[in-house]
Amino acid sequence: MKILISGARGRMGRGIERKKGENEIVCGICRTFFDAKFPLYESFENIEEDFDIIIDFSVAENVEKVLEFTERCKKPLIMGTTGLSERDENRMKELSKVVPILYSHNTSLGVNRFLQILENAAAILKDEYDIEIIEKHDRGKKDAPSGTAGMVLQAIEDGSKINRSVVNGRKGVCPRADGEIGVHSIRGGNLGSEHYVSFITEDETIEINHYSPNYDIYCSGAVKAGEVLVKLAPGLYSMRDIIERM
């Protein structure tokens, strides 16, 4: 599989190069050049190399250009960039009618299996347990709670079929209300990615967690997902869709 990386200089872009396996990085897009083992371009207009798939882990401001280029070249796209506008998401849905697109905030195979486990647990436990989420990341992570924490919330809601009110941290006099779910963010040093979910009653606690010391899980997951995506018909796919086809 021949890969074009959009956001080649970023943490994810470099990780994809490390985790490419037997696949080939044919070129990359980045705003500032670096010592890469493949050709780099500032603009999609200058690309001459043949490729099988675009993997985008850039910035939201760049997404419109990525989608325009995807529409022109008609090649599969993995969209891992977060913070997309509603307009970008709608355009991506339209574009998926002619090319296969994977859109996910988290391309880790383990994390997505973790989400499936949580959905099943929530379906079994329903509203009998209080639920708390703690997520930890390094001091440089920009958003809080994490995008994965949002996916955790959605998995729990999908499993239990219950709409819970979300409380991000607690302060002051705040006894727990029925039907709420607490989300707490910790940032510091070079912490890896950690997500803990606790199901709690007066007499017992069930805990399910996922931990990774670095971001390579997202890179290897994106590459493996790409190997599946290039064989699929046009459509908008999730990581669950991809995992089910592995």
Side-chain angles (χ1 to χ4, degrees):
M1 181 175 68
K2 296 180 179 180
I3 303 171
L4 185 164
I5 305 175
S6 174
R9 189 171 184 175
R11 179 161 50 184
M12 295 296 292
R14 294 205 178 195
I16 289 169
E17 183 182 5
R18 290 194 303 273
K19 294 295 183 178
K20 62 182 176 58
E22 297 181 357
N23 302 294
E24 178 186 1
I25 311 298
V26 296
C27 62
I29 296 289
C30 58
R31 289 181 289 185
T32 55
F33 291 168
F34 64 103
D35 185 20
K37 297 178 181 179
F38 47 85
L40 294 170
Y41 302 98
E42 290 185 88
S43 170
F44 289 104
E45 310 296 331
N46 300 324
I47 292 175
E48 299 178 351
E49 287 76 12
D50 183 33
F51 58 93
D52 299 313
I53 190 167
I54 306 162
I55 300 181
D56 181 73
F57 284 103
S58 56
V59 292
E61 294 79 7
N62 194 52
V63 166
E64 185 175 351
K65 294 178 181 178
V66 175
L67 296 178
E68 288 175 354
F69 180 68
T70 302
E71 186 173 21
R72 291 200 305 272
C73 70
K74 300 292 191 299
K75 295 292 180 73
L77 167 68
I78 293 180
M79 176 57 68
T81 298
T82 58
L84 273 62
S85 67
E86 184 177 354
R87 177 183 176 184
D88 289 334
E89 290 187 344
N90 288 337
R91 183 169 185 184
M92 189 163 48
K93 290 176 183 177
E94 284 299 309
L95 185 55
S96 70
K97 295 176 180 178
V98 293
V99 296
I101 297 177
L102 166 62
Y103 178 42
S104 178
H105 292 163
N106 192 309
T107 53
S108 160
L109 300 183
V111 165
N112 281 277
R113 287 164 178 151
F114 168 64
L115 295 173
Q116 288 181 275
I117 291 169
L118 287 173
E119 184 174 330
N120 290 334
I124 295 168
L125 302 176
K126 299 188 182 299
D127 61 347
E128 300 172 25
Y129 290 73
D130 295 331
I131 304 174
E132 294 287 298
I133 298 169
I134 299 175
E135 57 95 353
K136 302 179 182 180
H137 287 86
D138 65 87
R139 64 178 298 165
K141 184 167 179 60
K142 295 179 180 179
D143 57 322
S146 67
T148 302
M151 297 171 74
V152 167
L153 285 166
Q154 188 63 54
I156 292 171
E157 184 174 307
D158 290 346
S160 65
K161 309 299 183 185
I162 298 171
N163 292 319
R164 293 178 170 83
S165 59
V166 178
V167 177
N168 291 305
R170 290 189 174 83
K171 182 179 180 180
V173 179
C174 50
R176 185 184 184 92
D178 292 338
E180 75 178 29
I181 183 167
V183 182
H184 314 277
S185 300
I186 295 174
R187 299 288 179 268
N190 63 346
L191 286 174
S193 169
E194 302 182 51
H195 292 83
Y196 296 83
V197 181
S198 298
F199 298 87
I200 309 165
T201 67
E202 292 182 359
D203 300 314
E204 62 186 2
T205 298
I206 300 171
E207 292 190 324
I208 305 172
N209 68 286
H210 177 276
Y211 167 73
S212 176
N214 56 54
Y215 285 80
D216 281 355
I217 55 169
Y218 311 117
C219 305
S220 59
V223 171
K224 291 176 181 177
E227 294 171 348
V228 176
L229 189 68
V230 294
K231 301 174 184 177
L232 298 183
L236 186 61
Y237 298 94
S238 67
M239 279 299 293
R240 177 172 293 190
D241 297 325
I242 298 297
I243 289 172
E244 289 174 350
R245 289 167 170 82
M246 285 182 170

